[in-house]
């Protein structure tokens, strides 16, 4: 610009920039399921790969800081997430991990990972791991699953008992028996015996203590040396935990 006498002068305007937050899109969540074959890689890991996209109007910015992260405090330490500058991320955890196998049916364990961008913005990627029911294993002595009663006219009721013990990787709250007698099924090897003669009654506590009773009158049909084998199937009670 010029003054009245024609002398040129400059006006200097400085434009100061501010940090603009990046725009992050793409996929930042996945749900993995214990023992899900389609989600397990050749190394036996639950594995998922995706991309979180990023854009930034500030020149020279718009990338993630490449890193390998373990889950936030309180979550599984044997799983990890890696991310590159373009936002390609992969989560892995051994499917055989005690943490994964210890999940009850439907139990959900949320893993959170905080990643950073090149302008110090943070972003969260979340992985949910959902459990399935793992079968309980009977660990008591096999003899505890066997009972025996003998026809005895001096007894009104014949009885026997035992104690069964379970182990379950899904946790101690699943190491219990269903005490509802409607869940028991029964068979007898004796042909021709009336149903009320062949069965008797079995009860079991949640902790596995069982008792069997049958009226002596109901086994009078057995001849000398004849035996009747009665098999009862019981079911385990499945509980759900929350984390």
């Amino acid at each position: 610009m010029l003054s009245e006498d024609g002398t040129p002068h400059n006006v200097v305007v400085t434009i100061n920039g501010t940090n603009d937050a990046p725009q992050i899109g793409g996929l930042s969540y996945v749900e993995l399921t214990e023992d899900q074959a389609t989600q397990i890689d050749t190394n036996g890991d639950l594995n998922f790969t995706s991309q979180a996209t990023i854009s930034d109007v500030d020149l020279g910015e718009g990338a993630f800081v490449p890193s390998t992260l373990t889950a936030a405090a309180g979550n599984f330490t044997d799983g990890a997430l890696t991310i590159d500058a373009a936002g390609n991320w992969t989560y892995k955890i051994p499917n055989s991990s005690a943490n994964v196998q210890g999940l009850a049916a439907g139990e959900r364990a949320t893993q959170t990972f905080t990643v950073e961008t090149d302008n110090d913005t943070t972003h969260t990627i979340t992985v949910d791991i959902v459990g399935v029911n793992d079968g309980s294993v009977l660990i008591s002595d096999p003899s505890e699953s066997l009972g025996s009663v003998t026809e005895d006219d001096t007894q009104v009721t014949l009885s026997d008992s035992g104690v069964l013990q379970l182990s379950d990787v899904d946790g101690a709250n699943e190491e219990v028996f269903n005490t509802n007698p409607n869940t028991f099924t029964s068979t007898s090897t004796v042909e021709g015996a009336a149903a009320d003669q062949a069965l008797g009654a079995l009860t079991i506590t949640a902790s596995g203590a069982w008792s069997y009773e049958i009226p002596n009158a109901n086994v009078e049909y057995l001849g000398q040396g004849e035996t009747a084998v009665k098999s009862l199937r019981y079911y385990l009670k499945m509980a759900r935990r929350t984390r």
Side-chain angles (χ1 to χ4, degrees), residues 44-155:
D45 294 330
L46 283 171
N47 183 324
F48 185 81
T49 297
S50 191
Q51 183 181 24
T53 59
I54 184 172
S55 62
D56 197 319
V57 295
D58 292 338
L59 294 176
E61 297 182 354
F64 289 96
V65 176
S67 55
T68 297
L69 305 166
T70 56
N75 289 314
F76 301 157
T77 58
D78 48 358
L81 182 141
T82 59
I83 190 168
D84 65 14
N88 298 297
W89 61 268
T90 297
Y91 175 78
K92 292 183 179 183
I93 188 170
N95 182 66
S96 60
S97 160
N99 288 319
V100 175
Q101 293 300 316
L103 293 170
E107 184 179 5
R108 185 177 297 267
T110 299
Q111 316 293 295
T112 55
F113 302 88
T114 301
V115 297
E116 295 183 357
T117 69
D118 55 4
N119 73 347
D120 298 324
T121 299
T122 59
H123 177 70
T124 299
I125 296 176
T126 303
V127 178
D128 273 352
I129 305 174
V130 181
V132 299
N133 183 48
D134 295 288
S136 297
V137 178
L138 198 64
I139 60 173
S140 49
D141 190 282
S143 64
E144 293 293 330
S145 298
L146 303 175
S148 176
V149 295
T150 302
E151 180 185 352
D152 184 351
D153 289 339
T154 66
Q155 300 293 323

Side-chain angles (χ1 to χ4, degrees), residues 201-229:
L202 180 136
T203 60
I204 191 168
T205 66
S207 59
W210 63 266
S211 177
Y212 174 75
E213 293 185 349
I214 188 170
N216 185 70
N218 285 10
V219 298
E220 293 286 0
Y221 65 89
L222 292 172
Q224 178 69 34
E226 187 176 13
T227 60
V229 178

Side-chain angles (χ1 to χ4, degrees), residues 140-188:
S140 49
D141 190 282
S143 64
E144 293 293 330
S145 298
L146 303 175
S148 176
V149 295
T150 302
E151 180 185 352
D152 184 351
D153 289 339
T154 66
Q155 300 293 323
V156 176
T157 302
L158 309 177
S159 64
D160 199 3
S161 62
V163 179
L164 305 177
Q165 187 178 358
L166 294 172
S167 176
D168 195 315
V169 296
D170 287 340
N173 64 333
E174 294 208 2
E175 296 172 349
V176 294
F177 292 86
N178 193 325
T179 60
N180 183 352
N182 293 328
T183 65
F184 304 160
T185 60
S186 177
T187 60
S188 175

